[in-house]
Amino acid sequence: MGREAQNTALIKQENAEKAEQERMKADFDKARLIKERQMNNLLKNRQAIVNPYSGLTNEMANLGVANKAAEFQAEQSDIALANTLDTMRASGAGAGGATALAQAALQSKKGIAASLQQQEAANQKAAAQGAQDLAKMKATGEQQRFAAQEARDNADINRASSQLDALDRQFESSMDAFTNAGIDGV
């Protein structure tokens, strides 16, 4: 075989090798594109991370005061005082007894007002505590949501990077094997 024939054979072999390398590169590019699409589809269709406490409301904010009990107590006190006044009139008691009775009525009403004030103060305290507890739960939920999202994002990034690195290594290994096979064949 002449030198020209050898050169022609070498050129044909190089062209065939280049064509095979390009075909292999196209196959790996296609595989990589498919893997990237799969990863993007998985990422796009994931369940949303939510704060489990975001919709809570302060149930203690609108506590009622026992007005009916206070009204009943006031009525009972008024009836008892009226009965006492009637008894005093019937027995001929003087004005001093009526004054004492009026003071007893006033003390009774003060007791009812104090009871209502205590209930209102207890309700305000419960509402404030409820608001504080709710704010803590919402903040905890936001921290949990953020941590879960951060962990998910990092895992996704690491997984995608590892898969793409593996594809790149596989391609390089295939190209090396192809090149070595060509060198061994010469």
Side-chain angles (χ1 to χ4, degrees), residues 161-171:
S161 177
S162 294
Q163 288 176 337
L164 292 175
D165 287 347
L167 276 175
D168 289 341
R169 284 191 304 275
Q170 184 180 6
F171 175 71

Side-chain angles (χ1 to χ4, degrees), residues 69-104:
E71 287 173 11
F72 180 75
Q73 187 179 2
E75 286 175 14
Q76 292 300 312
S77 177
D78 288 344
I79 291 170
L81 292 172
N83 288 339
T84 303
L85 186 58
D86 286 344
T87 303
M88 288 174 62
R89 269 193 218 143
S91 65
T99 303
L101 189 59
Q103 285 188 351

Side-chain angles (χ1 to χ4, degrees), residues 3 5 16 25 28 30 41 44-45 48 61 68 71 83 85 93 97-98 114 117 120 140-141 148 151 156 158-159 163:
R3 191 164 217 21
K25 172 103 170 82
F28 278 105
K30 187 186 292 185
N41 190 39
K44 183 174 69 173
N45 293 313
K68 290 291 183 193
E71 287 173 11
N83 288 339
L85 186 58
Q117 264 185 327
E120 287 175 357
T140 299
D156 291 341
N158 290 337
R159 182 174 41 255
Q163 288 176 337

Side-chain angles (χ1 to χ4, degrees), residues 33-49:
L33 181 63
I34 289 169
K35 184 55 71 179
E36 286 175 348
R37 285 182 182 161
Q38 287 173 340
M39 181 63 65
N40 289 336
N41 190 39
L42 287 171
L43 293 173
K44 183 174 69 173
N45 293 313
R46 289 186 308 169
Q47 175 178 315
I49 295 176

Side-chain angles (χ1 to χ4, degrees), residues 143-155:
Q143 287 173 339
Q144 290 172 350
R145 186 196 62 76
F146 178 81
Q149 186 65 52
E150 188 70 12
R152 181 186 277 181
D153 290 347
N154 287 335

